[in-house]
């Protein structure tokens, strides 16, 4: 009985929660990792807290337009409608972060759940779930997101739904492949011998051992959702055009790129910084959880 109990325990030193918790001590050990995580934190704080210190209304228009950066009361100047650029940049980051965070979390939750179900149950459940995921993966992610927004309509909520649908298959395939490898191991068979039910085994035994790679994929997907969110807004498929949004600000400012490059370059650089930082943060997290050697 003792050997069965030992075999039924989640494997340690792999990709599970216990390993991730232990290996997290290695996060932020390199300058690139510090820069990546610091950029993500700084941008989040800037967007969430920054508007509290800027009194200008991001949508208030003025007859005096295109003021240069450094003008009194307008640190980054104004756009072609006389709206304060700094206020719009800070306000435009909120829907960007909301869409990125919500879509990434939703796609990770839904995709991982479907992959865990398919890999654990197998048979016709596996076939049905994964064929549905294959259909979505057969199309470019941007095309899937654009199609869903076109069907559902614009708005932050519909953008989240569209990006979630486009990203969930990636998590489903990853979780399914990892789960298939786990269900054949001794600790799962031992857990069944001890009388544990399927839900207990899947959630308490298998899931902890696949969560590490799913977490790394989540961080990397954050960079993808940043690109998709910006692309949809740039194409005019995001929220209302009058509301500030980084993607739409890039589009609106490109007509004045030579005379006032900051109108387009500032939000574009912020989007790029967020996406690049998320990618490097994912690499750092992968190294911290020992995934690079699996």
């Amino acid at each position: 009985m003792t050997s069965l109990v030992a075999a039924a325990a989640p494997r340690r030193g792999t990709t599970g929660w216990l390993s991730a918790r232990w290996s997290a001590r290695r996060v932020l050990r390199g300058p690139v990792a510090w820069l990546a995580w610091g950029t993500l934190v700084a941008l989040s704080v800037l967007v969430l807290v920054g508007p509290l210190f800027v009194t200008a209304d991001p949508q208030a228009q003025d007859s005096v337009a295109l003021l240069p950066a450094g003008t009194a009361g307008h640190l980054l100047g104004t756009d072609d409608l006389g709206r304060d650029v700094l206020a719009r940049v800070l306000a435009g980051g909120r829907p960007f972060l909301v869409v990125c965070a919500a879509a990434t979390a939703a796609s990770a939750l839904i995709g991982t759940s479907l992959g865990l179900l398919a890999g654990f149950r197998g048979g016709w459940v596996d076939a049905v779930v994964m064929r549905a995921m294959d259909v979505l993966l057969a199309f470019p992610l941007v095309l899937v997101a654009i199609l869903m927004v076109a069907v559902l309509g614009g708005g932050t909520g519909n953008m989240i739904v569209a990006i979630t649908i486009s990203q969930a298959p990636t998590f489903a395939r990853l979780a399914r492949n990892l789960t298939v490898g786990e269900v054949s191991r001794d600790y799962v068979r031992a857990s069944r011998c001890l009388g544990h039910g399927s839900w207990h085994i899947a959630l308490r035994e298998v899931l902890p051992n696949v969560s590490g790679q799913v977490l790394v994929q989540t961080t990397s997907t954050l960079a993808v959702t940043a690109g998709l969110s910006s692309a949809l807004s740039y194409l005019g498929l995001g929220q209302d055009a009058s509301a500030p949004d980084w993607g739409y600000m890039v589009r609106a400012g490109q007509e004045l790129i030579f005379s006032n490059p900051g109108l387009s370059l500032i939000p574009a650089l912020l989007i790029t910084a967020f996406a690049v930082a998320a990618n490097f943060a994912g690499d750092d997290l992968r190294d911290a959880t020992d995934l690079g050697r699996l």
Side-chain angles (χ1 to χ4, degrees):
M1 179 62 70
T2 303
S3 60
L4 285 177
V5 173
R11 295 178 299 132
R12 297 172 183 266
T14 58
T15 62
W17 290 331
L18 294 175
S19 174
R21 187 181 307 167
W22 175 81
S23 301
R25 298 176 183 177
R26 289 201 298 260
V27 176
L28 300 177
R29 284 203 171 185
V32 175
W34 274 101
L35 182 60
W37 288 105
T39 299
L40 291 178
V41 172
L43 286 176
S44 300
V45 172
L46 178 68
V47 168
L48 297 176
V49 180
L52 300 177
F53 300 94
V54 177
T55 58
D57 184 349
Q59 299 196 57
Q61 301 182 15
D62 196 307
S63 58
V64 181
L66 297 177
L67 293 176
T71 302
H74 302 286
L75 183 61
L76 296 180
T78 60
D79 63 8
D80 55 331
L81 296 178
R83 298 172 297 191
D84 186 78
V85 174
L86 177 59
R88 290 183 63 77
V89 167
L90 295 177
R94 287 189 175 184
F96 173 83
L97 288 183
V98 168
V99 171
C100 290
T104 300
S107 59
L109 177 61
I110 295 173
T112 302
S113 299
L114 291 174
L116 186 66
L117 175 65
F120 192 80
R121 287 294 186 182
W124 67 270
V125 175
D126 183 21
V128 171
V129 172
M130 297 316 299
R131 293 301 77 74
M133 297 299 103
D134 288 342
V135 170
L136 292 175
L137 287 172
F139 298 93
L141 299 179
V142 176
L143 182 59
V144 173
I146 292 176
L147 178 62
M148 293 305 303
V149 172
V151 173
L152 298 174
T156 301
N158 289 339
M159 285 177 62
I160 294 173
V161 173
I163 296 176
T164 297
I165 293 174
S166 71
Q167 294 301 308
T170 303
F171 286 96
R173 179 163 291 282
L174 174 64
R176 184 262 181 192
N177 293 339
L178 293 173
T179 301
V180 168
E182 294 294 325
V183 295
S184 62
R185 296 188 180 274
D186 291 339
Y187 76 93
V188 174
R189 289 195 289 264
S191 186
R192 287 196 175 107
C193 292
L194 292 174
H196 294 155
S198 298
W199 284 107
H200 174 91
I201 298 174
L203 298 179
R204 299 293 298 275
E205 309 285 357
V206 177
L207 182 58
N209 286 293
V210 305
S211 61
Q213 293 193 48
V214 171
L215 182 60
V216 173
Q217 180 62 39
T218 300
T219 310
S220 300
T221 301
L222 190 62
V224 179
T225 58
L228 289 175
S229 173
S230 303
L232 292 174
S233 297
Y234 180 87
L235 294 174
L237 298 176
Q239 59 180 350
D240 185 84
S242 62
D245 182 273
W246 284 353
Y248 187 80
M249 290 174 67
V250 174
R251 175 185 177 182
Q254 69 181 10
E255 298 179 358
L256 301 171
I257 190 65
F258 295 108
S259 58
N260 293 83
L263 297 179
S264 183
L265 289 181
I266 291 176
L269 289 174
L270 291 175
I271 295 170
T272 302
F274 184 89
V276 172
N279 268 322
F280 279 107
D283 292 342
D284 179 55
L285 194 60
R286 179 198 60 209
D287 296 338
T289 53
D290 284 332
L291 295 178
R293 290 178 286 178
L294 292 180

